[in-house]
Amino acid sequence: MEAWYGQTFGGSPSFLPSFRGDDPAAEASAGWSRDATVLPVDGRVVQSFAQSDTGIIQIAAPLGSDILAVHAGRVTQVTTDNGGKATIIVQHSNRVMTVYGDISSPVVKTNDWVQAGQKLGVIGAANEDAAAIGDRDGEGTLRFAVKQNNNYLDPAEVIPFD
């Protein structure tokens, strides 16, 4: 809505509280060049940052698609839930971390160093939440977030999704 308002009227509607610019997440920046990042998975965004109330986006992709590290960093956490889905957290420079959720068959472990484009795991079968959002026919979803200083960043601002 803010983008539409800016294109239509030439600026953000600062009279609306949600567009005043006092959101700490809006002030944060990963400090990455978009050329130095890669997509976490070749798929389509089915829940954007603006649609999410948690800061986590969802990307639908064919089952078995590789999930990739978006930037170089150190794996700080690999946890698996009761359903066999893993969550991987990668710590990057500038106090930025990326969170990858609903991963099947993780291929990294805690304290591994990863490069941009390195495989972390694969897309598995869609979970219950994703079923309401994405197509279940041969697709699964990746839950993905970028955080800096405990503030969520819009991944589209630092990763070339377009």
Side-chain angles (χ1 to χ4, degrees):
M1 184 169 147
E2 182 178 16
W4 170 83
Y5 193 97
Q7 290 173 348
T8 305
F9 299 104
S12 296
S14 60
F15 59 89
L16 296 174
S18 62
F19 295 134
R20 284 194 184 133
D22 51 7
D23 177 15
E27 297 174 12
S29 168
W32 295 343
S33 161
R34 288 173 61 96
D35 296 335
T37 61
V38 297
L39 289 172
V41 66
D42 188 15
R44 60 188 167 79
V45 176
V46 293
Q47 182 175 348
S48 70
F49 185 79
Q51 294 169 318
S52 170
D53 59 349
T54 62
I56 299 170
I57 69 168
Q58 292 191 33
I59 306 167
L63 295 175
S65 297
D66 287 346
I67 298 170
L68 310 175
V70 298
H71 199 267
R74 184 176 64 86
V75 177
T76 59
Q77 182 177 328
V78 179
T79 57
T80 305
D81 66 17
N82 292 338
K85 297 290 183 134
T87 298
I88 297 174
I89 299 175
V90 178
Q91 180 69 52
H92 308 279
S93 60
N94 204 18
R95 298 176 54 116
V96 175
M97 69 177 157
T98 48
V99 182
Y100 308 78
D102 291 341
I103 296 177
S104 292
S105 307
V107 297
V108 295
K109 59 188 180 313
T110 301
N111 291 321
D112 283 353
W113 181 261
V114 294
Q115 296 295 327
Q118 184 173 333
K119 182 177 176 177
L120 302 176
V122 297
I123 292 283
N127 63 25
E128 295 298 319
D129 292 336
I133 298 170
D135 177 7
R136 292 188 83 160
D137 295 331
E139 284 190 330
T141 56
L142 169 68
R143 295 163 83 74
F144 179 73
V146 178
K147 291 179 79 172
Q148 183 178 39
N149 299 322
N150 273 342
N151 294 314
Y152 285 97
L153 303 178
D154 183 349
E157 296 294 322
V158 294
I159 299 166
F161 280 95
D162 41 16

